[in-house]
Amino acid sequence: MRDHPHQGHQEHQEQALTILGAGRAGTSLARAAAAVELPVRIASTRPPAAMRLHLAQYAPRATAVDAREVAGAPLVVLMVPQEDLDSVDPAWLDGTVLVDATNRWDGEPLPAWLQAGLGADRSSSEAVAGRFTGATVVKALNHISHWDLDTAGRGQAPGGTDRRGLGVASDSPEAAAAVGQLISRLGLSPVLLPGLAAGRVLEPGGPVFNLPLSAADLARLTGGRVDVD
């Protein structure tokens, strides 16, 4: 049987970055990915047709997909507000590396399971991992503003000492490495923290939140280590 004329091309197409959440943070990440020629799929609680005008303005190179279509993606960046996390079906994320880029804000109403996790003195990402048990959770991409995420990595040479550092916290070295590769691709420098619980230092109110730090300075303040390719 003859191969489909486009089969070889499709097999070598780059895996798209999947983002769950099409607000300011999600569309900012989509633009940053597009700037380095990384294809992007983006989903929200709204159907794809309802996102088209929004994405045409804020992330024109991203492809809108139904939230259920994130299932099976090897890596998903979670950028849904924490107050809306009950709208995310844990089954969609089974088997994926789940990048928890969410933050907890004072006064924000939270799902009962998340509030219970925080009340048990867990970091927010540990509570997220307790909810999405089929995923491997990595805390990352949360301690940089959406304005900086869009632009901080642009034009940065690979391995450049001027790159801004971003923390990566996970109990899985393999998952942390995969997220580190994504961060490097975006023109930033990953700093690997010793475990998911250590990601607490990246949360709002922590010593590094929203500060434009070099990788060396971020490592010093978080107890992490600079990930060198």
Side-chain angles (χ1 to χ4, degrees):
M1 183 174 67
R2 295 179 61 189
D3 290 340
H4 188 281
H6 299 295
Q7 181 176 347
H9 173 70
Q10 290 174 342
E11 288 176 352
H12 291 89
Q13 282 184 333
E14 186 169 20
Q15 178 71 49
L17 173 64
T18 301
I19 302 169
L20 186 52
R24 290 178 295 181
T27 53
S28 176
L29 177 58
R31 293 192 299 273
V36 294
E37 303 300 327
L38 182 60
V40 175
R41 302 189 314 155
I42 191 165
S44 78
T45 54
R46 293 179 290 170
M51 287 195 292
R52 285 188 184 128
L53 289 177
H54 175 71
L55 293 184
Q57 182 174 2
Y58 295 107
R61 295 174 62 183
T63 299
V65 298
D66 188 274
R68 292 168 294 185
E69 293 183 50
V70 305
L75 186 148
V76 176
V77 182
L78 182 65
M79 288 182 148
V80 175
Q82 287 189 348
E83 63 181 315
D84 296 329
L85 284 176
D86 274 342
S87 67
V88 180
D89 187 338
W92 298 343
L93 301 168
D94 284 351
T96 193
V97 171
L98 180 63
V99 183
D100 176 22
T102 69
N103 283 313
R104 176 171 57 93
W105 305 109
D106 290 341
E108 180 183 29
L110 297 176
W113 57 266
L114 181 52
Q115 190 65 60
L118 297 174
D121 200 31
R122 297 180 189 174
S123 68
S124 62
S125 289
E126 289 177 292
V128 167
R131 171 72 169 178
F132 301 99
T133 55
T136 303
V137 174
V138 180
K139 187 66 171 183
L141 295 171
N142 71 299
H143 66 101
I144 181 172
S145 73
H146 60 89
W147 295 285
D148 288 347
L149 181 58
D150 190 0
T151 60
R154 297 200 183 189
Q156 293 290 336
T161 57
D162 292 335
R163 286 187 166 205
R164 178 167 172 171
L166 280 189
V168 179
S170 180
D171 293 331
S172 166
E174 295 79 13
V179 177
Q181 290 175 358
L182 170 63
I183 288 172
S184 293
R185 177 74 179 271
L186 296 174
L188 304 161
S189 183
V191 174
L192 304 182
L193 276 61
L196 187 61
R200 188 190 301 266
V201 75
L202 306 176
E203 295 179 359
V208 301
F209 188 77
N210 206 22
L211 293 181
L213 300 169
S214 68
D217 285 342
L218 181 62
R220 176 175 55 82
L221 290 169
T222 61
R225 63 177 177 84
V226 179
D227 185 21
V228 179
D229 293 335

